[in-house]
Amino acid sequence: VTAKQLEFMREGCAREVRRTLAVDKVRAGNRGSHRYSFDSSGTGNQLHNPEWAMLVDLPTVTPILTAIFGSRDYHVKGARGDF
């Protein structure tokens, strides 16, 4: 990723961390105490956010996925992560 994309992703992560922690004042977590997944939206992923969506088709990632699946005929179903 470029420096600009990295900064964009960091800002998106910080926003989603704030959003998640705002509803968990006791830090119970959604994966155990003080452990969270980026799923505060309840959608099961973060692809609705442009920061995660931009990661779907990177020039460094797409060739790897194409090689793994043997074609470009694959679907990305979700994207999130833990913190």
Side-chain angles (χ1 to χ4, degrees), residues 8-80:
F8 184 56
M9 190 72 215
R10 285 180 174 155
E11 290 170 0
C13 288
R15 181 193 63 241
E16 294 305 312
V17 166
R18 285 190 305 273
R19 184 176 294 164
T20 298
L21 296 180
V23 297
D24 184 15
K25 303 294 184 192
V26 299
R27 303 298 184 254
N30 64 5
R31 296 179 41 78
S33 177
H34 294 83
R35 295 182 61 215
Y36 301 89
S37 291
F38 282 109
D39 187 24
S40 59
S41 66
T43 62
N45 70 70
Q46 290 290 324
L47 284 176
H48 59 283
N49 286 317
E51 298 88 353
W52 276 260
M54 76 167 180
L55 299 174
V56 170
D57 192 23
L58 292 173
T60 52
V61 175
T62 300
I64 295 168
L65 292 175
T66 300
I68 289 170
F69 294 111
S71 79
R72 290 184 57 94
D73 189 23
Y74 58 86
H75 300 274
V76 175
K77 188 172 179 171
R80 58 182 189 191

